Amino acid sequence: MFEIEAERPEHGPAIEALLDLSFGPGRYAKAAQRLREGNHPAPELCYVAFAGEGAERRMVGALSFWPILIGGKPGLMLGPLAVEPQLRGKGCGIKLMEKGLADAKRLGHRLVILVGDAPYYARVGFGPVPPGRLTMPGPVDPARLLYRELDIGAFTGVKGAIEKPRSAAAAR
Ligand SMILES: CC(C)(COP(=O)(O)OP(=O)(O)OC[C@H]1O[C@@H](n2cnc3c(N)ncnc32)[C@H](O)[C@@H]1OP(=O)(O)O)[C@@H](O)C(=O)NCCC(=O)NCCS
């Protein structure tokens, strides 16, 4: 029902519209956004989902991953993830994440974090970061700060700040 494709520049306006619709005006106030400002998504880990046939075919979902430092070690932040409201609950979000996480692992990434609803992201292997272990660059409900190892043991001994990569921090 859904086809996942690599994001291309011409998808940009539709993605922005979907994110505005899904997250509303609070979109830019989130702590996760601090990690995106001046940063760039991993170009090989940006996806769009299409649904429909022929003239009905349209973009209905989007997901990107962002390079970050997790306790000084390279990692990824998953998100934003959004699916068109009429097509939610049909597996698009999970399909986007399964594709992205598999590609990220294949590319050698070892650790992924995100801020989101734990019961949903548990479906693709995320669990809660133990309280106090990692800090975000802004207030976050600790129960919503989640991680997933792509390589067993990648989270062992990791603690400290979640930050932008040094190159992105220097750019601002
Ligand atoms: C969250 C979102 C991406 C999920 O996409 P989706 O394509 O509807 O999700 P899927 O179809 O892959 O998964 C649906 C399943 O997850 C469950 N689910 C969806 N959101 C959930 C949540 N926040 N908490 C717990 N379970 C959730 C659904 O109940 C459904 O369960 P079922 O399979 O037992 O029926 C979509 O609802 C969305 O765009 N929401 C607005 C933006 C947003 O909140 N993004 C995530 C930021 S953390």
Side-chain angles (χ1 to χ4, degrees), residues 74-158:
L76 292 171
M77 178 171 67
L78 183 156
L81 167 68
V83 174
E84 187 183 285
Q86 297 90 317
L87 289 176
R88 288 179 190 165
K90 298 182 189 301
C92 186
I94 298 291
K95 190 167 180 179
L96 278 163
M97 289 193 288
E98 285 177 342
K99 167 75 173 147
L101 290 166
D103 287 349
K105 182 177 170 68
R106 188 171 45 75
L107 290 166
H109 296 284
R110 301 187 68 226
L111 186 60
V112 186
I113 62 111
L114 64 80
V115 180
D117 291 338
Y120 181 61
Y121 292 100
R123 292 173 182 233
V124 287
F126 282 85
V129 170
R133 181 110 166 241
L134 297 177
T135 56
M136 284 284 285
V140 165
D141 175 353
R144 292 172 56 79
L145 183 58
L146 312 176
Y147 79 98
R148 178 175 157 184
E149 292 180 338
L150 298 177
D151 190 12
I152 293 171
F155 193 49
T156 304
V158 173

